[in-house]
Every structure is written in structure tokens, then in C-alpha cells.
Amino acid sequence: MTDRTQQAQETADIARLEIPSRDKRADLQVMDGTLGPSVIDVRRLYAQTGMFTYDPGFTSTASCESKITFIDGDKGELFYRGYPIEQLAEHSDFMEVSYLLLFGELPTAEQKEQFIHDIIYHTMVHEQISHFFRGFRRDAHPMAVMVGVVGALAAFYHDSTDITDPHQRMVASYRLIAKMPTIAAMAYKYSIGQPFIYPRNDLSYAANFLHMMFAVPCEPYAVNPVLERAMDLIFILHADHEQNASTSTVRLAGSSGANPFACIAAGCASLWGPAHGGANEAALNMLTEIGTVDRIPEYIARAKDKNDPFRLMGFGHRVYKNYDPRAKVLRKMAHEVLDELKVDQPLFDVARELEKIALEDEYFVEKRLYPNVDFYSGIILSAMGFPTSMFTVLFAIARTVGWVAQWNEMIEDPNQKIGRPRQLYTGPTRRDFVPIDQRD
Ligand code: CMC
């Protein structure tokens, strides 16, 4: 699906690694991308020195070559296929952005129409899946349901699990993008005991999702256009984010040749964690706990206290060491949604004041901690009527297109190998088995 004509450039530069005390030396190739830091190709390091690199959390390791998303954390920039996120947020929509992520270019009007048709054609799920839902407890966390049902799609769509066939890969990709909102809305409806609402193919991707979430069969439901736009914007902003934990999980799972439904279920599982996609839920819970502006200093003090595990949720990012550009767009959108719904959201006041105080505080300035995408998204989503437990699910819907774009790119990469990190072993050295009656 992706364009592989442009490869990373091998430069004339060689990085020389010398360990004189061990009489080891390695000459390693330096490679340039089109943007961002160059990399040192360590693939031959073990052959040359008998040593591995050590990098827990991959803080200095490029795990793959990619043409999809670029982040400059120091400048606070995010590009999808070269286009700045602010421009896409202002001028584009989620279907167009999905096409861009998958195919590398913005669609023509005709391509866009065809793409929307093809996605919409796949929005329904196999009827048997609705019975599958009945096996879950009603009080299950919707992300637990998502992990289970998305993984189970492989049991329903056997005709799109052959990853060596580009057509099947494309059908699986379209199915995943199309069915995630349907499955997410079903998880919600199941939890509140309302009937499932079938998708409506005359609505936009975002409006159809809101309809499946909030409509009931006994009365008409009209989607508010401001909320439709807000939903679409949230989907655009969360669509992809380079090699984050869940995307790397999808790539690692897929590197063994696992089917795409299993890989995206693995991505959902990784996204669920509170340090990743679960942070929007945690951020709103934190704002609720703080409650009023006068209690902010107490929580700032706790976040700075080394003996207290508390962190300001929605603050800080592994890559952004300047403002997260997505948070800027969402702060503006939060105003529009709250004005439209005419709701007084005291938590928004708490959030804005917390941001102001934290941005002036030496601890946060020095560590370059800024609000991330999750800081304002929870306020918008709760005003729109989503329970906090659904926040990460919405993130998963949006990120599915990024996951499938990255998964397709990996499958088509001629350098792709099964992901198999090495380790620095620090356990016991060889020892002999001791029979139980001779143990101390
Ligand atoms: N509140 C208080 N202190 C913090 C915070 C925070 N939110 N985030 C980082 N720090 C401190 C941390 O204690 C550490 O201090 P020290 O150097 O004195 O030990 C320093 O800043 C560096 O933190 P780190 O954990 O080494 O940084 P990281 O790059 O490994 O972690 C992070 C990034 C996002 C996991 C972290 O900032 C965090 O836990 N933030 C809160 C959770 C959150 O909002 N996550 C959403 C991320 S954006 C959405 C997504 O991509 O899923």
C-alpha cells in the first residue's frame, strides 16, 4: 500500500566504536532520513564485537524505517505524510486523513468518494458478533471488551487473514477502520443495557459513530454538527503518532506473521495502559478529584514530591519537550463544544488554571513537561456525553488507521524481520539441580 521507492540514505559517514580494554572495534554506517536525527546502523555490531546495545524503553533506538508520521519533539511539530497536524485539523476530515496515512497522498475528489464508499460498505459486523457480546459481564471495562472482540474478528473474517495477499491486507485494513466504531458503540450499549444501533451509511464516519452511541430505536436522533466536527477532529488528532507503545506492539505482533485482527487487538491492549491511551481517562479522573481551583497547589506539590507516586496526568511526553500541538487544537475545540452545549464545566476552569500554574512552576519548566493530547480531550468528551471508561476506546478507534498503515508498511518493508530484542542477562550463572530433600 505504501510507496517504497524512497529508501533511507546510507551516508559516507562511519561511526567508529572502540573498546580498547577489550580490543574490540566496530565501524558502523550512519544513515540519514528526510527529517529528524540520523541513525547509526548497529545491525552488524554483534558480528563485529560480540556485544549488543542496551536501551530499555527504546529511548535512543529507531526500531524501523517509516514514511508515515514525523514528530519534532523540540519544536512541538507533528506531520502526517509531511502535512502539519494543524493544517489537517483545520482543512481536512478523518476519512481524508485516513486515506493519506494509508496511501501516502491526499486523495482526489474521486478517490475520496470511492474510499468513503469502501469504508462504509464494511461498517456492519457479522450478526454472530452480537451474540459473542453476551458472554461479557455488563460491568466489564469497554477496553476489555474491545481487546476480546477485535481479536475475535479473525474468527469471523477468514477471507482477509492471508497477510501475503495485498488484496486481503487491504480488505482487513478497511474492515478494521470501518468496524471499530461499530464494536465500540456496541460495547457501550451493552454496558448500559440498551439495544445495539446498526450503522447508518448515509452519515459521516464521526456522525455515524455518535448515532450508534447515543440514538435509541424509539425516537429520532439528530447529530449536532458541532459535535460531529469535534468528534472528527479528535479522530484526526489521534490517528497516528509514530512508533509509540501500541504501534510498536502492533508491529512486533505482526512481525511474526500474525493476522491483522490479532495485531490490532494487541495494539488495543497496549493502548489501554494509563501511561498511554488510558491517560485521558486518568486525566479527567484527576481533574474531578482536584475539583476546585484552590486545591491545585496541593496536587502540584504532590506531583513534585519524589516520595509520592502521583503524576499530573495529561502532562509530559516521551517525545514532545515543547508544547504538544494536538493539545493546542483541543483547547480551542473545548471552548467551542462547551459554548455549543451551553454547559458550565468547572473542570475546564480547573484544567486551564492547572496548566497555567504548572507552566510557570520551575519543576515543570526544567523537566519540560507540557500538557499532552489527553489533557483537554477528556473535558470535551465528557461534555459530549461519553463516560470516562469510553475515552480510551475512542482513542483506539482513531488510532486503528495509524496501526493498520504502520502494519502494512512493515509487511511491505524488504528489511522486515521478526522482532526479537536481545537482553543483558543478570540472573544466576549455570548451576546444578538440587533434589528437594537436599535443599536448605
Ligand atoms: N507529573 C509529574 N512529574 C512528571 C510527569 C508528570 N506527568 N511526567 C514526567 N515527570 C517527571 C518524572 O518524575 C521524571 O522526573 P525525574 O527525572 O526527577 O525522575 C521526569 O519528569 C522524566 O519522566 P519520565 O517518566 O522519565 O519520562 P518518560 O519520557 O519516560 O515518560 C510519560 C513520559 C508520558 C509516560 C510521562 O510524562 C507520564 O507519565 N505522564 C503522565 C501520563 C500521561 O499523560 N500520558 C499520556 C501521554 S500522551 C498520549 C499517548 O501517547 O498515549
Side-chain angles (χ1 to χ4, degrees):
M1 259 187 207
T2 48
D3 166 27
R4 297 294 312 166
T5 51
Q6 205 186 350
Q7 295 291 322
Q9 294 291 313
E10 283 193 2
T11 67
D13 299 329
I14 296 293
R16 177 155 297 167
L17 178 77
E18 278 196 354
I19 314 161
S21 57
R22 299 190 182 195
D23 196 23
K24 303 262 188 216
R25 194 169 110 164
D27 285 338
L28 304 166
Q29 182 78 50
V30 175
M31 294 166 85
D32 286 343
T34 47
L35 284 173
S38 302
V39 301
I40 299 169
D41 180 351
V42 294
R43 278 175 292 183
R44 297 192 60 247
L45 181 71
Y46 181 65
Q48 292 186 48
T49 64
M51 292 184 188
F52 301 133
T53 55
Y54 177 63
D55 184 19
F58 305 110
T59 53
S60 295
T61 298
S63 60
C64 62
E65 185 190 327
S66 181
K67 300 182 195 317
I68 302 175
T69 296
F70 175 75
I71 303 172
D72 186 324
D74 288 322
K75 291 193 197 145
E77 286 179 340
L78 166 62
F79 301 162
Y80 292 163
R81 301 282 190 184
Y83 295 102
I85 192 70
E86 295 86 349
Q87 290 185 22
L88 293 169
E90 192 175 343
H91 303 296
S92 191
D93 58 59
F94 182 63
M95 279 294 93
E96 195 165 75
V97 165
S98 298
Y99 185 98
L100 174 69
L101 288 169
L102 281 172
F103 299 107
E105 296 297 337
L106 288 166
T108 61
E110 208 178 309
Q111 287 166 332
K112 184 173 174 181
E113 195 184 330
Q114 182 65 46
F115 181 68
I116 292 173
H117 169 272
D118 293 347
I119 294 289
I120 278 173
Y121 182 75
H122 288 293
T123 48
M124 281 210 310
V125 291
H126 193 292
E127 193 60 18
Q128 196 66 17
I129 290 179
S130 57
H131 304 308
F132 183 66
F133 265 88
R134 301 216 160 87
F136 290 104
R137 283 172 58 139
R138 295 258 177 203
D139 61 354
H141 193 288
M143 277 308 280
V145 175
M146 293 301 286
V147 172
V149 178
V150 173
L153 290 178
F156 291 93
Y157 301 103
H158 304 141
D159 58 344
S160 53
T161 52
D162 178 0
I163 64 157
T164 62
D165 177 351
H167 177 69
Q168 291 202 28
R169 286 206 302 274
M170 191 187 65
V171 173
S173 302
Y174 282 19
R175 279 183 168 147
L176 279 157
I177 297 166
K179 293 182 200 308
M180 284 295 273
T182 314
I183 297 169
M186 288 171 87
Y188 173 64
K189 289 295 194 191
Y190 184 73
S191 73
I192 57 169
Q194 286 186 2
F196 297 142
I197 300 292
Y198 282 98
R200 264 189 48 192
N201 293 351
D202 59 326
L203 298 176
S204 73
Y205 189 86
N208 173 47
F209 175 58
L210 292 173
H211 183 263
M212 289 188 292
M213 278 289 300
F214 298 118
V216 285
C218 43
E219 53 187 64
Y221 174 83
V223 179
N224 178 326
V226 174
L227 304 192
E228 176 182 355
R229 176 67 189 140
M231 193 74 262
D232 196 72
L233 193 64
I234 286 177
F235 287 156
I236 292 175
L237 297 178
H238 288 83
D240 196 45
H241 213 227
E242 213 224 58
Q243 308 310 319
N244 55 82
S246 58
T247 302
S248 299
T249 303
V250 169
R251 280 185 178 259
L252 195 55
S255 75
S256 70
N259 74 71
F261 304 107
C263 297
I264 303 307
C268 288
S270 169
L271 186 75
W272 191 5
H276 191 7
N280 48 18
E281 184 175 345
L284 196 80
N285 290 340
M286 177 194 74
L287 292 173
T288 311
E289 192 185 313
I290 298 175
T292 49
V293 169
D294 58 303
R295 296 190 63 206
I296 292 174
E298 182 194 323
Y299 283 84
I300 297 268
R302 283 188 61 195
K304 289 157 64 173
D305 182 355
K306 280 264 155 273
N307 300 317
D308 189 332
F310 175 77
R311 282 187 172 202
L312 279 192
M313 299 314 284
F315 257 79
H317 198 275
R318 169 62 61 79
V319 183
Y320 293 119
K321 300 301 172 194
N322 194 323
Y323 213 92
D324 180 340
R326 303 167 300 172
K328 266 188 203 149
V329 178
L330 281 181
R331 187 169 46 175
K332 186 163 163 271
M333 180 47 83
H335 277 291
E336 286 171 29
V337 168
L338 297 180
D339 285 352
E340 170 68 17
L341 295 175
K342 298 186 180 45
V343 287
D344 182 27
Q345 174 60 284
L347 292 189
F348 191 36
D349 299 335
V350 175
R352 274 184 303 190
E353 191 58 22
L354 180 63
E355 177 185 353
K356 194 164 151 273
I357 295 177
L359 292 186
E360 285 165 2
D361 190 288
E362 203 186 318
Y363 173 93
F364 292 88
V365 173
E366 191 197 305
K367 295 189 187 304
R368 303 171 79 192
L369 300 169
Y370 295 87
N372 59 49
V373 69
D374 293 321
F375 193 64
Y376 287 109
S377 62
I379 289 170
I380 301 178
L381 295 173
S382 77
M384 287 170 74
F386 289 99
T388 46
S389 60
M390 282 298 287
F391 291 1
T392 314
V393 176
L394 301 176
F395 195 155
I397 295 174
R399 187 53 60 84
T400 295
V401 63
W403 288 332
V404 296
Q406 301 263 356
W407 172 80
N408 276 293
E409 185 180 62
M410 180 200 64
I411 304 278
E412 290 167 18
D413 186 344
N415 291 322
Q416 189 265 326
K417 281 181 182 310
I418 184 168
R420 177 49 172 98
R422 307 304 292 254
Q423 64 173 12
L424 174 63
Y425 177 71
T426 52
T429 53
R430 196 208 129 100
R431 50 185 174 165
D432 290 324
F433 180 81
V434 181
I436 196 161
D437 57 347
Q438 291 170 31
R439 290 177 210 158
D440 298 333

